[in-house]
Amino acid sequence: ERAIRVVSVERGHDPRRFALVAFGGAGGMHAWEIASTLEIASVLVPRHAGVLSALGMLVADVTRDYSASVLMPAASVPEKDLRKRLEPLVRRALSELATEGFSKSRVSLERQIDVRYVGQSYEITLPFSTGFQSEFHKTHSRMYGYSNADRPLEIVAVRVRAAGITDKPRLPFEKPKRAWRPKPAQTRAGRFGGRMHRVSFYRWPDLSPGAAASGPAVVTGPEATVVIPPQFKFRVDGFGNVVVNK
């Protein structure tokens, strides 16, 4: 829970607005409990949760990051000067990705800028734009709960994130025609919250899109296991993912 708060609450994001994605073979066994403590309403366990990192590696774009220091007050650096500082980074990105076989049309470029209040020891990375100063104040307020539009800003660095766009395999998808209730492979006794329950066990390969049932239940497969506690329900979406919510 603390680790999720670091990448959500401490960055100005309310976890209640998101679904929790559980990866790894055992992630789906614990995700509902973590989601409950964070008041997250939905848990999504991918069909291939046990090999999700490997799948991600296969579909990921080739990315490179470039940066150049500035360390000057924002008021003394004209926007055209910042654009000039970005140009060599863009040329380098295009050149290096070209050596890996990516034409210019297959490269996505994101120009960024690191900004902070003068005197701070940390900065915020923002998309580079004409209104980056006002955007900094908004982002600082969202992330840290305060901002000061009268306080001078300092530009720490300019950045370019370049991505060579790879061909993506198409994951099989079947639109659910209707919701249907699967038959458990077996039913066994299990304990939730100190109380005994009859727990339905389902085989993941038997659950086609549209399958839906209530907990307590366990969905088992060759790559991952999902636990659905009492008062929760689950359904299988068009990709074969298990979606758990109340």
Side-chain angles (χ1 to χ4, degrees), residues 69-102:
S69 295
V70 179
L71 288 176
M72 295 177 64
S76 63
V77 186
E79 181 182 330
K80 63 179 181 181
D81 183 54
L82 294 174
R83 294 188 182 278
K84 287 182 180 180
R85 290 172 183 261
L86 284 163
E87 288 174 3
L89 305 182
V90 170
R91 290 195 297 269
R92 182 181 170 191
L94 293 173
S95 174
E96 292 187 2
L97 285 173
T99 64
E100 297 196 40
F102 294 99

Side-chain angles (χ1 to χ4, degrees), residues 72-194:
M72 295 177 64
S76 63
V77 186
E79 181 182 330
K80 63 179 181 181
D81 183 54
L82 294 174
R83 294 188 182 278
K84 287 182 180 180
R85 290 172 183 261
L86 284 163
E87 288 174 3
L89 305 182
V90 170
R91 290 195 297 269
R92 182 181 170 191
L94 293 173
S95 174
E96 292 187 2
L97 285 173
T99 64
E100 297 196 40
F102 294 99
S103 63
K104 187 175 181 180
S105 63
R106 299 276 291 182
V107 175
S108 172
L109 297 171
E110 183 179 356
R111 296 164 175 82
Q112 301 172 326
I113 186 170
D114 288 356
V115 187
R116 65 188 179 190
Y117 288 120
V118 172
Q120 281 185 326
S121 59
Y122 56 90
E123 54 275 348
I124 297 175
T125 301
L126 302 167
F128 176 70
S129 66
T130 300
F132 75 86
Q133 298 193 38
S134 61
E135 188 61 32
F136 171 82
H137 295 301
K138 293 178 184 178
T139 304
H140 197 283
S141 179
R142 176 175 58 80
M143 293 179 66
Y144 302 110
Y146 75 97
S147 63
N148 185 351
D150 296 325
R151 186 173 174 181
L153 303 181
E154 182 178 42
I155 299 173
V156 178
V158 291
R159 298 180 180 274
V160 169
R161 167 159 286 190
I165 309 302
T166 60
D167 294 325
K168 307 294 191 296
R170 294 179 65 88
L171 298 177
F173 176 83
E174 178 185 342
K175 185 177 180 179
K177 296 179 181 177
R178 59 179 178 82
W180 62 279
R181 187 177 182 83
K183 183 179 179 180
Q186 59 177 297
T187 302
R188 289 157 42 188
R191 185 184 298 273
F192 286 89

